[in-house]
């Protein structure tokens, strides 16, 4: 009996423990559900706050976009135009209806003509029509508006017949005439502003376009023969197949015979400068050691033509560059900026200066306005000689002037 009771107590204790665990589990589940509910509500509130913030930002963006000076001006002008039409049209209708009821369409027709012509000006600006078309439409629009304004003014003065004082009637007439003319004028000014705004939308691009046009004009004026040849190439080629710059490069080569910006005079001046530099470098390299070696070689092997290499070596004069008509001129490398071979040129005799050539150079200096204007190029062109001989003639005439 005692064992049964003991077993019963254990069963009751186990059931009580099971009930306690079940209650704790259910309490834990309820707490977890309440926590999840709170988190969901918190997330919903955050989502609602985010949505409200996004809507506020969207409204602010729309408001900012709508209230820009450009939009306010465009929409405000249209609003004023609508008000002017509403104020002027009834007076037009009443004026003509008072004459006869069948004249009712005249008022809207006159008022509408002014607005249709004003819209035509905007359409002409959009399509880039000739200027005379725009001014014709403007004249028609303002003529219709002026006619309607005169009718409204007369209608305002006629209000004295309905008990309005003369002063107030005149004010009414002036007001009706002002709004009748003001509507088309406001619309026209609006169109001018929009057209100017479109043309100056990209000032950097506009400045570049102006600079390019100025460059093309100056280049065509400076090199007219090349510009004419460029136009021939562009007209001869199929439309759009030849770029203007490519046509200019080809035209320059056809006319000048050289790449762009290079001419025969430029090449001649370059060769003259290279010859002068070669002569100066040759003179600068005559160090005492070099002269001693040249004298030693002359003593051992003898002079190489002329009246002795040692004399030429000791003269101390520049010996680079061409000599005369019978000697070697500028070598192939010398013409390209390379120093000519002076191993034989330094010992060759120089052609004596002719008195006739000197006299010709003196006359050339007189024609140019002084010996300082003499150059190897113009002396060479006047005499028809090599560059080295021209340099000697120029230096001789300059020396005479100094003496």
């Amino acid at each position: 009996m005692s064992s049964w009771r003991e077993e019963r107590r254990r069963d009751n204790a186990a059931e009580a423990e099971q009930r306690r665990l079940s209650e704790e589990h259910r309490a834990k589940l309820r707490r977890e559900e309440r926590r999840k509910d709170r988190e969901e509500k918190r997330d919903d509130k955050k989502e609602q706050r985010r949505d409200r913030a996004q809507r506020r930002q969207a409204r602010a963006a729309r408001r900012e976009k709508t209230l820009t000076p450009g939009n306010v001006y465009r929409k405000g002008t249209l609003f004023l135009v609508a008000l002017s039409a509403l104020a002027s049209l009834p007076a037009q209708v009443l004026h003509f209806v008072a004459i006869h009821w069948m004249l009712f369409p005249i008022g809207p027709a006159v008022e509408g003509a002014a607005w249709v012509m004003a819209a035509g000006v905007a359409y002409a600006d959009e399509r880039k029509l000739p200027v005379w078309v725009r001014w014709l439409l403007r004249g028609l629009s303002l003529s219709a508006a002026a006619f309607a304004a005169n009718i409204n003014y007369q209608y305002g003065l006629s209000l004295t017949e309905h008990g309005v004082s003369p002063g107030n009637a005149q004010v009414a007439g002036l007001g009706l005439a002002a709004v009748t003319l003001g509507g088309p004028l406001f619309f026209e000014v609006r169109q001018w502003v929009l057209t100017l705004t479109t043309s100056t939308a990209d000032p950097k691009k506009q400045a570049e376009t102006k600079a390019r046009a100025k460059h093309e004009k100056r280049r065509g004026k400076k090199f007219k023969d090349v510009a004419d040849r460029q136009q021939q190439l562009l007209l001869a080629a199929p439309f759009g197949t030849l770029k203007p710059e490519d046509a200019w490069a080809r035209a320059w080569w056809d006319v000048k015979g050289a790449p762009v910006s290079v001419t025969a005079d430029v090449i001649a001046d370059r060769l003259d400068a290279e010859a002068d530099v070669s002569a100066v470098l040759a003179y600068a390299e005559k160090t005492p050691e070099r002269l001693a070696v040249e004298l030693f070689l002359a003593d051992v092997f003898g002079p190489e033509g002329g009246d002795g290499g040692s004399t030429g070596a000791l003269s101390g004069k520049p010996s680079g560059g061409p000599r005369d008509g019978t000697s070697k001129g500028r070598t192939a490398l010398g013409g390209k900026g390379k120093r000519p071979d002076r191993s034989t040129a330094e010992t060759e005799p120089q052609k004596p200066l002719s008195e006739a050539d000197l006299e010709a150079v003196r006359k050339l200096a007189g024609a140019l306005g002084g010996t300082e204007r003499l150059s190897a190029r113009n002396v060479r062109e006047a005499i028809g000689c090599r560059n080295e001989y021209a340099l000697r003639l120029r230096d001789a005439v300059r020396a005479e002037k100094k003496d």
Side-chain angles (χ1 to χ4, degrees):
M1 187 68 179
S2 60
S3 62
W4 179 82
R5 291 177 179 173
E6 185 67 26
E7 184 177 352
R8 182 65 179 172
R9 276 196 305 272
R10 286 197 298 269
D11 292 340
N12 292 335
E15 291 177 358
E17 182 66 19
Q18 185 66 30
R19 285 194 299 271
R20 185 181 66 80
L21 292 177
S22 299
E23 288 293 333
E24 290 180 357
H25 181 67
R26 284 195 293 270
K28 184 178 180 182
L29 290 178
R30 286 195 295 271
R31 289 194 300 270
E32 186 68 22
E33 288 178 357
R34 287 194 295 270
R35 183 182 65 79
K36 289 181 179 181
D37 291 339
R38 287 194 298 270
E39 290 180 354
E40 289 179 358
K41 290 180 181 179
R42 226 174 10 249
D43 293 340
D44 292 340
K45 290 181 180 180
K46 288 181 180 179
E47 185 66 25
Q48 292 174 2
R49 285 195 295 269
R50 281 197 297 266
D51 292 341
R52 287 196 296 269
Q54 289 177 358
R55 287 194 294 270
R56 283 196 298 269
Q57 291 177 358
R59 286 195 299 269
R62 287 195 299 270
R63 188 165 51 250
E64 182 179 359
K65 185 178 180 180
T66 304
L67 296 179
T68 57
N71 285 335
V72 171
Y73 176 75
R74 286 192 293 269
K75 296 180 179 179
T77 307
L78 292 179
F79 181 70
L80 290 177
V81 166
L83 288 181
S84 66
L86 291 175
S88 62
L89 187 58
Q92 294 278 323
V93 174
L94 291 175
H95 176 81
F96 286 103
V97 168
I99 300 174
H100 195 276
W101 66 270
M102 293 183 65
L103 299 180
F104 169 79
I106 295 180
V110 173
E111 192 76 19
W115 291 112
V116 170
M117 293 301 106
V121 175
Y123 180 76
D125 285 335
E126 180 183 354
R127 294 295 180 177
K128 302 294 188 296
L129 296 182
V131 177
W132 68 268
V133 176
R134 306 176 196 180
W135 282 107
L136 175 62
L137 294 173
R138 288 190 181 104
L140 294 175
S141 175
L142 292 179
S143 298
F147 179 71
N150 182 53
I151 292 175
N152 282 348
Y153 180 71
Q154 296 298 330
Y155 177 79
L157 295 180
S158 67
L159 293 178
T160 55
E161 300 175 358
H162 301 281
V164 180
S165 64
N168 290 335
Q170 186 175 10
V171 171
L174 291 174
L176 288 173
V179 296
T180 305
L181 279 175
L185 286 176
F186 289 155
F187 190 82
E188 181 62 26
V189 172
R190 175 182 183 272
Q191 186 60 30
W192 279 352
V193 172
L194 293 180
T195 303
L196 293 175
T197 303
T198 303
S199 62
T200 59
D202 193 351
K204 184 177 180 181
K205 185 176 180 180
Q206 186 180 14
E208 182 181 357
T209 303
K210 289 184 178 180
R212 185 182 297 275
K214 184 178 180 181
H215 171 73
E216 292 291 339
K217 183 178 180 181
R218 293 180 61 188
R219 185 168 70 170
K221 185 177 180 181
K222 180 70 174 177
F223 308 104
K224 190 175 183 305
D225 51 352
V226 180
D228 294 340
R229 178 57 181 163
Q230 181 195 26
Q231 291 300 319
Q232 291 178 356
L233 292 173
L234 290 175
L235 292 175
F239 179 77
T241 59
L242 183 60
K243 295 181 180 179
E245 290 301 325
D246 295 338
W248 181 266
R250 289 174 55 180
W252 187 281
W253 188 275
D254 292 343
V255 175
K256 304 295 184 181
V260 176
S261 76
V262 179
T263 62
D265 293 338
V266 172
I267 295 175
D269 292 341
R270 184 189 303 164
L271 294 176
D272 290 342
E274 291 173 354
D276 294 343
V277 172
S278 298
V280 172
L281 291 177
Y283 177 74
E285 289 182 358
K286 285 187 175 297
T287 61
E289 293 80 2
R290 180 181 176 86
L291 293 176
V293 171
E294 291 178 353
L295 289 174
F296 173 75
L297 295 176
D299 292 338
V300 173
F301 299 102
E304 297 179 0
D307 54 356
S310 61
T311 306
L314 291 174
S315 61
K317 296 180 180 180
S319 58
R323 295 299 182 182
D324 53 17
T326 59
S327 62
K328 294 181 179 181
R330 186 186 296 119
T331 63
L333 291 177
K336 296 181 180 179
K338 304 296 183 180
R339 189 179 300 114
D341 186 8
R342 297 182 302 276
S343 60
T344 58
E346 292 176 353
T347 60
E348 292 178 358
Q350 291 183 341
K351 176 183 176 180
L353 300 179
S354 172
E355 185 61 31
D357 295 340
L358 291 172
E359 183 63 26
V361 176
R362 295 189 192 100
K363 292 181 181 180
L364 177 62
L368 294 175
T371 57
E372 66 277 359
R373 296 182 178 273
L374 290 174
S375 66
R377 177 186 169 190
N378 53 36
V379 172
R380 185 182 70 246
E381 292 177 351
I383 304 301
C385 60
R386 293 184 178 274
N387 191 71
E388 189 270 341
Y389 188 70
L391 287 172
R392 290 168 55 208
L393 288 173
R394 182 197 64 183
D395 296 340
V397 173
R398 286 183 177 178
E400 292 176 357
K401 181 67 176 179
K402 292 181 181 179
D403 295 339

